[in-house]
Amino acid sequence: MMPQQHLNDTEDFLMNNQRSDKPEEACGVFGVYAPERTLEVAKLTYFGLYALQHRGQESAGIATLKQGRVYCHKDMGLVSQVFNEDILEQLPGEIAVGHTRYSTTGSSLKENAQPFITETRLGKLALAHNGNLVNAVELRKHLTSKETDFVTTTDSEMIALTIADEVNSGKDWIEGAISAFKLCTGAYSLTIATPDGLMGVRDRNGIRPLVIGVLRGESADGERYVLSSETCGLDIIGAEYVRDVNPGELVWITDSGLISVDWAEKGEKKLCVFEMIYFARPDSVMHDETLYSYRIRLGRQLARESFVDADLVIGVPDSGIPAAIGFSRESGLAYGEGLIKNRYVGRTFIQPTQSMREAGIRMKLNTLKDALQGKRIIIVDDSIVRGTTSKKIVKTLRDAGATEVHMRISSPPVTHPCFYGIDTDNQDQLIAATKSVKEIGERIGVDTLAYLTWEGMLEATQEDTNHFCSACFTGDYPVSIPEDVKRSKLILEETKV
């Protein structure tokens, strides 16, 4: 896995070559089945990916199918950089799948951009994948034994090639896909375009999200289907949310409508809780409410657990703001803005010089000095991974005149790496895996530091607490990790600080 700089929210606001101080996000996937909109499926997918841009800023791609022929364009960069009107007009079709990527398995190279396309005896398929296989080494050996040729270094390609291998053995699309999924262990939400229909799939635990929507149109049955990692991808194109794809479910969308197949025995639901805390957009809906409402509750719970008297509560833009509002409401302390995000900073390949960095070039965040001068500040953020960005934020608040800086984190300490599609560093690079809360507070320079408790976080979900993967906080991995893979990241003694 080759990390790439992450351009979201509170990431390193000195634009240099350091890695971001947040868990790197999963990818975003999208799919459209709309035969009567052959000139629009690519544009619909473009807008869907635009709404999912926060899930990956490294590369983007769209593949369309028209009468069995595949058209595809993908490249490194943001969605708005990879596509324009001319390119989208060259992507006709009845079916489309799209992908916005952050690399979880495979290098940060153009050839690893998705969707991945492969040939089968039934025609070509195009696959977009969000997640990470934990048995990628075994699966590659399995495919190598069949003299399979690889184009990329991604586990996503291995899923597609395994489906192709099963289809080429004489199975139909659904049979071949199910056989392939039973060979794949880990986290995966998939959108797959074939000449005969669009497929949406989640792994047996539903670790990564995938939702179904409908587009009302001129077709005979009055609707066409959309698949998206989050509901914000449906909203942007006017699609109506129907439901989530269930864990272990395959949905098959054709002219006859949508059929559902349970391809795996019902596993225990284990949606990544970080989707709730940070990854998904606050306007996306999970468990029948926007994540904004959930994050408000996290802030309220945080205030109940770790109140400290202060003059002003502020959030780190943008991901810390809902929890900061919740903290303010519960504590009765005033809420205000103290940090301003430059919303026009995008991917730039012009790096400041070392002397410019030392002079304090601030590309992403700046302070409201008159709001902070002489104030006791509570700053709320969603997580701390290494502590580098938190330390810089605290320093800039003090430089702006804050007399006290108290940091509150709306999630528990991140002590374990993720193996299911989120890049959280090796364990020895996670500050909470090697230092106590007091030591972290001293390192980042705050007067006090407090995290939300694991119990408080789950209580705020108002759902069955067993339905979430929280392994990054507890080390309790719901899908068994092979020992060699585990040793690559879990390099500390299994003791909790």
Side-chain angles (χ1 to χ4, degrees):
M1 177 166 55
M2 293 287 290
Q4 178 76 13
Q5 187 175 10
H6 174 52
L7 296 173
N8 184 41
D9 296 342
T10 65
E11 306 318 322
D12 196 352
F13 56 91
L14 299 180
M15 288 293 287
N16 53 33
N17 292 319
Q18 292 182 359
R19 293 195 56 196
S20 68
D21 194 25
K22 295 284 186 181
E24 304 282 9
E25 284 150 334
C27 301
V29 299
F30 198 80
V32 178
Y33 183 86
E36 78 285 358
R37 297 191 179 190
T38 57
L39 299 179
E40 294 183 4
V41 291
K43 284 189 177 181
L44 290 169
T45 304
Y46 168 84
F47 287 114
L49 293 181
Y50 195 86
L52 298 173
Q53 183 71 85
H54 59 287
R55 299 187 67 85
Q57 298 85 37
E58 177 180 288
S59 65
I62 295 173
T64 60
L65 276 81
K66 183 178 182 182
Q67 298 176 347
R69 182 176 176 181
V70 175
Y71 302 81
C72 184
H73 181 79
K74 52 187 177 179
D75 207 342
M76 305 300 289
L78 303 176
V79 175
S80 59
Q81 295 170 319
V82 172
F83 296 99
N84 58 38
E85 287 277 359
D86 291 340
I87 291 171
L88 292 172
E89 287 178 2
Q90 296 171 35
L91 300 174
E94 303 91 19
I95 306 172
V97 292
H99 191 264
T100 180
R101 182 174 191 256
Y102 170 79
S103 62
T104 52
T105 297
S107 303
S108 303
L109 302 171
K110 179 179 177 180
E111 55 263 35
N112 286 334
Q114 296 184 39
F116 180 78
I117 298 166
T118 191
E119 185 72 69
T120 79
R121 70 177 183 86
L122 298 178
K124 290 184 178 180
L125 70 83
L127 176 145
H129 171 211
N130 172 23
N132 204 51
L133 299 185
V134 298
N135 70 331
V137 173
E138 288 179 28
L139 197 58
R140 193 175 185 91
K141 289 179 180 177
H142 168 74
L143 291 167
T144 300
S145 71
K146 294 175 175 287
E147 300 183 346
T148 304
D149 293 324
F150 298 94
V151 177
T152 78
T153 59
T154 68
D155 56 350
S156 309
E157 178 187 21
M158 285 184 267
I159 299 173
L161 292 175
T162 304
I163 295 172
D165 182 63
E166 295 294 329
V167 168
N168 291 340
S169 71
K171 297 170 183 172
D172 64 23
W173 288 117
I174 295 178
E175 293 169 339
I178 290 174
S179 296
F181 301 146
K182 289 182 176 178
L183 296 173
C184 299
T185 305
Y188 48 94
S189 287
L190 308 167
T191 55
I192 305 170
T194 78
D196 299 316
L198 174 67
M199 192 180 299
V201 183
R202 286 178 82 188
D203 66 80
R204 67 180 68 241
N205 296 107
I207 296 172
R208 306 258 70 86
L210 189 64
V211 300
I212 305 168
V214 293
L215 276 169
R216 308 299 178 186
E218 301 80 23
S219 59
D221 59 6
E223 60 189 33
R224 285 298 184 237
Y225 288 94
V226 182
L227 301 171
S228 176
S229 290
E230 299 177 33
T231 62
C232 65
L234 307 179
D235 295 338
I236 196 171
I237 62 170
E240 178 185 331
Y241 168 74
V242 176
R243 64 175 179 88
D244 289 8
V245 177
N246 293 318
E249 182 185 18
L250 179 157
V251 295
W252 177 240
I253 302 164
T254 66
D255 255 351
S256 300
L258 182 149
I259 65 170
S260 169
V261 179
D262 290 329
W263 67 265
E265 292 183 7
K266 291 294 183 184
E268 193 173 17
K269 291 181 181 179
K270 288 294 180 181
L271 175 69
C272 170
V273 76
F274 243 117
E275 292 280 358
M276 306 276 290
I277 295 168
Y278 168 63
F279 292 132
R281 261 179 38 171
D283 55 326
S284 285
V285 174
M286 291 185 180
H287 304 110
D288 300 320
E289 68 172 350
T290 64
L291 292 177
Y292 181 86
S293 298
Y294 169 67
R295 292 166 189 173
I296 291 282
R297 285 202 303 277
L298 290 178
R300 285 186 176 276
Q301 182 67 23
L302 186 61
R304 288 192 286 269
E305 292 182 357
S306 58
F307 174 83
V308 63
D309 194 24
D311 302 308
L312 189 67
V313 180
I314 66 173
V316 180
D318 288 317
S319 59
I321 289 177
I325 293 171
F327 193 105
S328 169
R329 290 176 181 175
E330 185 68 25
S331 66
L333 300 175
Y335 169 81
E337 290 189 358
L339 293 170
I340 298 299
K341 179 180 177 181
N342 182 352
R343 303 184 186 281
Y344 298 95
V345 173
R347 182 179 295 273
T348 175
F349 298 102
I350 307 300
Q351 300 295 337
T353 64
Q354 182 59 34
S355 62
M356 291 170 70
R357 293 190 195 110
E358 290 171 356
I361 298 297
R362 295 189 179 97
M363 293 286 286
K364 298 211 70 176
L365 293 175
N366 202 11
T367 55
L368 289 173
K369 293 183 180 179
D370 54 349
L372 300 170
Q373 182 72 40
K375 300 288 180 60
R376 300 170 298 163
I377 304 298
I378 297 173
I379 175 112
V380 180
D381 205 357
D382 54 79
S383 61
I384 299 176
V385 177
R386 289 182 301 281
T388 52
T389 297
S390 298
K391 183 176 182 179
K392 291 171 184 174
I393 290 174
V394 172
K395 182 179 184 301
T396 200
L397 292 174
R398 292 197 187 280
D399 289 346
T403 57
E404 295 179 14
V405 179
H406 305 273
M407 182 165 277
R408 296 295 181 263
I409 304 300
S410 61
S411 66
V414 176
T415 57
H416 289 73
C418 177
F419 296 92
Y420 307 134
I422 305 301
D423 181 15
T424 50
D425 279 327
N426 292 341
Q427 193 176 24
D428 65 342
Q429 296 173 307
L430 305 176
I431 192 169
T434 60
K435 298 185 182 302
S436 67
V437 173
K438 181 180 178 182
E439 290 170 332
I440 296 170
E442 292 171 351
R443 170 70 66 89
I444 65 178
V446 292
D447 292 279
T448 66
L449 170 67
Y451 291 82
L452 185 64
T453 63
W454 182 76
E455 295 81 5
M457 174 193 69
L458 293 180
E459 181 180 336
T461 65
Q462 297 182 352
E463 294 286 328
D464 187 330
T465 57
N466 292 322
H467 287 175
F468 296 94
C469 174
S470 53
C472 52
F473 307 126
T474 66
D476 183 12
Y477 294 99
V479 178
S480 179
I481 313 294
E483 284 302 315
D484 57 335
V485 176
K486 189 181 293 187
R487 284 195 299 271
S488 70
K489 282 190 171 185
L490 278 172
I491 55 181
L492 297 177
E493 292 292 328
E494 285 295 312
T495 57
K496 199 169 182 179
V497 178

